[in-house]
Amino acid sequence: MNERPLTASLSLHRPGEARIGQDRIRLLAAIERLGTIAGAARELGLSYKTAWDAVGTLNNLFDRPLVEAAPGGRTGGNARVTEAGRALIAGFEQLETTLAQALTTLEGGVCAAPEQVLEKLWSMTMHTSTRNTFRCTVTRVTMGPVNAEVELALTDGHHLTAVITERSAAEMRLAPGVTVFALIKASFVMLTAGGDPGRVSASNRLTGLVAARTDGPVNSEIVIDLGACKSITAVITHASAEALGLAPGVPATALFKASHVILARP
């Protein structure tokens, strides 16, 4: 008989959504205690960029921001965990307690079908590699013989459009008021400097201010602050970033096709 105790790591997700695990909950809790993202990153042994990116991902996944902060570089800036963020921390701790109790039940052999319980627990650990994931509300669905156009509300000032197959729209039962997650790969996002991109064919235009830029030998990662604690990330060539003069504080617009938006429904 195996005498080693069962252990489990809790990870929350919705279909197509980025993972929320103990590491991100610890980050939220550290920001709550210390009041800065930089301080929380140091305490947890993370780089400032990793912590800032995690906060941006968390804020994009929920209808209300979990952390209200401004980028402050390695010296940090003030950050506040909102009521929604504190509720997530408390809820996660409750789930961890419930999970520990479930493991005790499984290990004691009380559960008649432990494999069913484990299957449900393991289903929560799926990940997505898509850099941009947004929680949105469907505002209109236009059905066609082959494709459907789905209009989405992201924030009060920003909207998205997705084109998916008619069959997918029907199977997902998309209708006004339905909550969905919109996924856009960072490499699909084009950028222009300034607020008005002019006449382009891309259906989606999200305008904001450059919040961060990370340069590599070939590409640059650009994070644009859209307001309301939402952000979008693009990966473009270093040469393009230089030519556009993209730097923190510079207005920029993210452009991407409706066909490049993938939808997932909770």
Side-chain angles (χ1 to χ4, degrees):
M1 179 178 180
N2 192 344
E3 296 181 354
R4 291 179 297 176
L6 286 173
T7 61
S9 177
L10 180 62
S11 176
L12 306 179
H13 90 293
R14 299 178 193 272
E17 179 184 349
R19 178 184 66 90
I20 300 175
Q22 188 182 62
D23 52 345
R24 290 184 174 174
I25 300 300
R26 288 176 60 205
L27 176 62
L28 280 180
I31 294 172
E32 169 72 3
R33 284 196 320 275
L34 302 173
T36 69
I37 294 176
R42 286 193 296 270
E43 180 176 278
L44 299 178
L46 303 174
S47 68
Y48 176 76
K49 180 181 183 302
T50 297
W52 179 261
D53 286 348
V55 168
T57 298
L58 286 170
N59 280 339
N60 284 341
L61 293 178
F62 290 84
D63 55 354
R64 292 182 295 167
L66 304 184
V67 178
E68 293 178 344
R74 296 188 179 277
T75 59
N78 292 334
R80 183 181 73 87
V81 175
T82 65
E83 181 180 351
R86 293 192 295 272
L88 177 62
I89 294 171
F92 193 90
E93 290 175 350
Q94 292 177 353
L95 286 174
E96 284 191 315
T97 299
T98 301
L99 178 57
Q101 293 171 346
L103 284 177
T104 300
T105 300
L106 287 175
E107 197 165 30
V110 177
C111 182
E115 68 279 2
Q116 296 178 3
V117 178
L118 288 175
E119 182 179 353
K120 292 180 180 179
L121 294 176
W122 288 335
S123 70
M124 299 174 68
T125 62
M126 295 176 64
H127 299 179
T128 174
S129 62
T130 306
R131 187 66 177 85
N132 299 296
T133 303
F134 299 105
R135 182 188 179 99
C136 302
T137 302
V138 176
T139 57
R140 190 170 77 171
V141 179
T142 303
M143 302 294 283
V146 178
N147 292 328
E149 182 182 79
V150 184
E151 296 181 19
L152 310 163
L154 172 58
T155 65
D156 290 339
H158 291 294
H159 302 272
L160 299 179
T161 301
V163 171
I164 62 176
T165 65
E166 181 274 339
R167 179 175 178 180
S168 294
E171 290 178 347
M172 295 173 69
R173 300 188 299 279
L174 297 182
V178 170
T179 297
V180 297
F181 288 90
L183 296 83
I184 308 103
K185 293 181 65 175
S187 58
F188 287 164
V189 180
M190 298 174 288
L191 296 180
T192 64
D196 184 4
R199 301 174 65 180
V200 294
S201 62
S203 300
N204 294 291
R205 308 179 182 193
L206 301 177
T207 298
L209 299 177
V210 176
R213 170 176 162 178
T214 303
D215 293 326
V218 178
N219 293 327
S220 294
E221 180 186 86
I222 311 294
V223 180
I224 299 178
D225 181 0
L226 302 174
C229 294
K230 304 293 183 184
S231 61
I232 186 168
T233 300
V235 173
I236 63 176
T237 66
H238 188 189
S240 294
E242 285 291 299
L244 292 171
L246 297 177
V250 171
T253 299
L255 307 169
F256 48 96
K257 296 180 179 179
S259 57
H260 285 167
V261 180
I262 301 171
L263 297 184
R265 183 175 178 182

